[in-house]
Amino acid sequence: MNITKEQIDDLNAVVKVAITKEDYQDKVDNILSDYRKSANVPGFRKGHVPMGLIKKQYGKAVLVDEVNKLLQDNLNKYLTEEKLDVLGNPLPKQQDNFDWDNEELAFEFELGLAPDFEVPLKTKKPITHYKIVADDKMVNEQVERILKQHGKLISKDAVEKDNEVSGTFKNEEEEIDNKATLELDKIKSKKALDALKGKKVGDVVTLKSKGLFKEDYLLSSVFGVSQEKAADLDIEATFTIEEINEREPAKLDQELFDKLFGKDEVKSEKDLKQRIKDDSEKQFEQQSDQKLLNDITEYFIENTKFELPSEFLTKWIQTTGENPLTEEEASEEYQKSEKGLRYQLIEGKVIKENDIQLQFEELKEFAKGFIKQQMAQFGQLNPQEEELDNIAARVLGNQDEVKRLSEQLMSQKLLTLYKEKVNLKTKEVTYENFVKEVYG
């Protein structure tokens, strides 16, 4: 067997594989001999079928199968030994009048080669790293929510200011039939507030969806529809009142502090506010880090210039899927996937050049940390190490979970590298301003 490479340009090459009879004949003969031993052919005893008949019936299929195995094994070995960084998989070139009876068989494969490029981590333009702080307004609002949430409900005969009114929304045209609780302090529409005040259990009020709440996202939950549908709703719905309550806030005392955080973890209103601030800002770090990772990713994609073997990749997409595509469909698919492919190459380059590796033990510890977070949400704050090890072992026995956790851990490692190397500028903002600036 002889394998040679013809370089077409920096991004394309053709590999030629010449296979002689000596490369496959012994293997083919052995397989046919085994077939002969077990073949059941009418008119012949088992194991005594003439080899000529076996070759006539099975010879070509066995030959094709063995040659394809030889091609796959040796082509992969060649690409590895020659350290060829290929995109997609080698594509066999169409050969007219190919004859499997020839003594020497010649095959050609097109290769798409990965481009050579650099990724300077010290970006020319500084990238904003948001430090999101919990301001006094946010902390105070959170204290109010806590006091409300842990307060007690006092039943009322008629709707008054700041009551909570439970009932059922209905609109036949939009197929809305949903039980909900309206907190009057969250209603924006003066007309709606006027319509509700003084009403009693059993009364029916008609309310307009447009401009009903101070925060538009509340419309989705009270009408029982998706956020997308709620955003476009401009309807009238009937609201049948079933319950009216006044919520008396809880007291800021040690009993509440212990209930929220454990005995003597928080001992004063000042401690409570500091705890809320610290916990909030820790959660904000995750959003800030994800925003930073997204921005650096976009920066590298926009500013790392290199060509791709687009014609080869389009052809590869066209021919290797479950269902063959037309040239136009393949071109559309390539356009959709090009950005993702570019970042895969950039990320791979950064990982290789900075020798970032994932070890099994650190993946296991990462999985255990993830498991602890989930258990904490259900009140299990101090799980035993043996229990964590057992759950982690089960999780890491699932290849999909291993892939997901590996990607998360790699993102974390890349983020750590970027924070050290990339040109960053820190911008301190409140959460409200962060949302406005980032999401409009």
Side-chain angles (χ1 to χ4, degrees):
M1 180 182 295
N2 185 41
I3 303 180
T4 58
K5 176 171 72 77
E6 178 188 346
Q7 193 76 28
I8 306 301
D9 55 39
D10 289 343
L11 299 173
N12 295 276
V14 173
V15 168
K16 299 179 180 181
V17 184
I19 297 179
T20 64
K21 198 171 184 179
E22 288 76 18
D23 293 320
Y24 59 80
Q25 194 60 55
D26 287 348
K27 186 72 173 173
V28 170
D29 288 345
N30 288 335
I31 293 172
L32 291 176
S33 293
D34 290 339
Y35 277 16
R36 186 186 181 206
K37 292 173 187 174
S38 57
N40 287 311
V41 177
F44 298 96
R45 283 183 297 144
K46 189 174 181 179
H48 289 77
V49 180
M51 181 55 81
L53 191 58
I54 294 293
K55 285 184 177 179
K56 185 176 181 181
Q57 190 166 354
Y58 302 109
K60 185 62 64 68
V62 172
L63 168 65
V64 171
D65 190 43
E66 287 307 308
V67 168
N68 280 329
K69 286 180 185 175
L70 266 176
L71 279 171
Q72 185 173 343
D73 292 345
N74 286 278
L75 189 55
N76 288 338
K77 184 180 176 185
Y78 175 81
L79 296 177
T80 302
E81 288 176 349
E82 294 296 314
K83 298 179 180 177
L84 293 176
D85 194 0
V86 299
L87 302 178
N89 292 314
L91 285 178
K93 289 186 75 172
Q94 202 68 30
Q95 292 175 274
D96 297 329
N97 304 318
F98 186 85
D99 188 357
W100 284 97
D101 294 325
N102 285 340
E103 290 284 315
E104 185 171 297
L105 303 173
F107 301 89
E108 293 186 358
F109 295 87
E110 295 177 64
L111 301 182
L113 305 177
D116 188 27
F117 58 93
E118 298 297 325
V119 188
L121 293 182
K122 196 69 175 176
T123 55
K124 293 179 181 177
K125 174 187 172 185
I127 295 174
T128 301
H129 184 202
Y130 291 94
K131 177 175 170 44
I132 309 171
V133 295
D135 59 354
D136 290 343
K137 179 187 173 189
M138 168 177 273
V139 172
N140 290 333
E141 285 175 351
Q142 182 64 12
V143 171
E144 284 181 22
R145 276 194 290 272
I146 289 171
L147 296 180
K148 250 187 169 183
Q149 182 183 346
H150 294 275
K152 62 180 180 180
L153 293 177
I154 301 170
S155 181
K156 306 293 286 186
D157 293 328
V159 178
E160 299 173 6
K161 182 182 177 183
D162 295 340
N163 283 172
E164 294 181 10
V165 186
S166 299
T168 301
F169 274 104
K170 287 189 178 182
N171 177 289
E172 287 187 15
E173 189 178 336
E174 295 293 337
E175 297 181 343
I176 292 171
D177 186 349
N178 190 59
K179 288 186 178 296
T181 297
L182 294 176
E183 297 178 46
L184 266 61
D185 61 351
K186 293 182 180 176
I187 292 179
K188 178 183 177 181
S189 168
K190 187 175 183 304
K191 192 171 182 180
L193 287 170
D194 290 342
L196 285 162
K197 281 177 184 175
K199 294 297 187 289
K200 298 182 178 182
V201 171
D203 286 347
V204 180
V205 181
T206 299
L207 301 174
K208 284 188 174 182
S209 63
K210 202 76 172 174
L212 180 60
F213 293 108
K214 295 173 183 175
E215 302 287 349
D216 290 337
Y217 73 87
L218 293 171
L219 206 60
S220 167
S221 59
V222 298
F223 280 177
V225 297
S226 67
Q227 289 285 1
E228 290 77 14
K229 183 174 181 179
D232 296 326
L233 275 183
D234 187 2
I235 59 169
E236 287 188 341
T238 60
F239 181 63
T240 304
I241 298 174
E242 296 162 5
E243 192 176 336
I244 306 164
N245 293 299
E246 178 184 349
R247 189 175 286 273
E248 184 180 284
K251 292 179 180 178
L252 268 176
D253 56 19
Q254 194 60 46
E255 183 182 350
L256 178 62
F257 300 152
D258 290 348
K259 183 179 179 181
L260 292 171
F261 303 106
K263 187 164 177 58
D264 293 334
E265 288 291 318
V266 170
K267 295 184 177 180
S268 66
E269 182 178 350
K270 183 181 178 183
D271 288 351
L272 172 65
K273 289 184 176 181
Q274 189 61 49
R275 180 67 176 261
I276 291 171
K277 180 177 174 66
D278 293 343
D279 288 351
S280 298
E281 290 179 355
K282 192 171 182 181
Q283 290 180 339
F284 295 156
E285 277 181 23
Q286 296 177 5
Q287 293 185 57
S288 173
D289 282 350
Q290 188 58 55
K291 170 64 176 166
L292 178 62
L293 190 59
N294 292 345
D295 287 348
I296 292 174
T297 297
E298 287 297 323
Y299 178 90
F300 283 152
I301 291 171
E302 292 297 319
N303 293 277
T304 308
K305 304 298 183 185
F306 54 82
E307 296 297 320
L308 288 170
S310 53
E311 188 176 331
F312 168 85
L313 289 170
T314 302
K315 191 188 296 184
W316 179 68
I317 290 170
Q318 184 180 2
T319 57
T320 57
E322 286 185 19
N323 301 309
L325 303 177
T326 65
E327 191 172 332
E328 185 179 350
E329 288 171 336
S331 181
E332 286 178 9
E333 284 300 312
Y334 172 70
Q335 295 299 326
K336 290 177 189 173
S337 60
E338 183 184 1
K339 187 174 181 180
L341 175 58
R342 284 183 176 277
Y343 186 65
Q344 282 180 23
L345 291 170
I346 292 168
E347 184 181 76
K349 184 90 168 176
V350 171
I351 291 169
K352 184 178 179 181
E353 290 189 346
N354 292 276
D355 195 27
I356 301 176
Q357 299 178 20
L358 295 183
Q359 305 295 338
F360 178 76
E361 279 305 313
E362 61 182 350
L363 183 62
K364 180 181 174 183
E365 289 303 311
F366 183 73
K368 284 162 68 174
F370 187 73
I371 293 162
K372 281 178 76 172
Q373 287 179 6
Q374 290 187 314
M375 294 175 77
Q377 291 175 9
F378 295 95
Q380 294 176 264
L381 300 176
N382 295 299
Q384 296 295 315
E385 197 66 22
E386 184 180 354
E387 184 181 11
L388 288 172
D389 283 333
N390 290 337
I391 298 173
R394 290 199 297 273
V395 169
L396 296 175
N398 182 317
Q399 288 304 309
D400 289 337
E401 285 297 304
V402 170
K403 182 174 182 292
R404 183 178 66 83
L405 289 168
S406 296
E407 287 173 353
Q408 288 182 359
L409 180 55
M410 181 55 75
S411 291
Q412 197 177 89
K413 283 176 169 274
L414 284 169
L415 188 62
T416 300
L417 174 73
Y418 294 154
K419 284 181 178 179
E420 291 174 1
K421 304 286 187 181
V422 172
N423 182 13
L424 302 179
K425 64 174 181 181
T426 302
K427 184 173 184 179
E428 190 171 295
V429 290
T430 64
Y431 183 71
E432 185 178 357
N433 287 336
F434 172 78
V435 171
K436 286 178 182 175
E437 189 166 328
V438 172
Y439 304 109

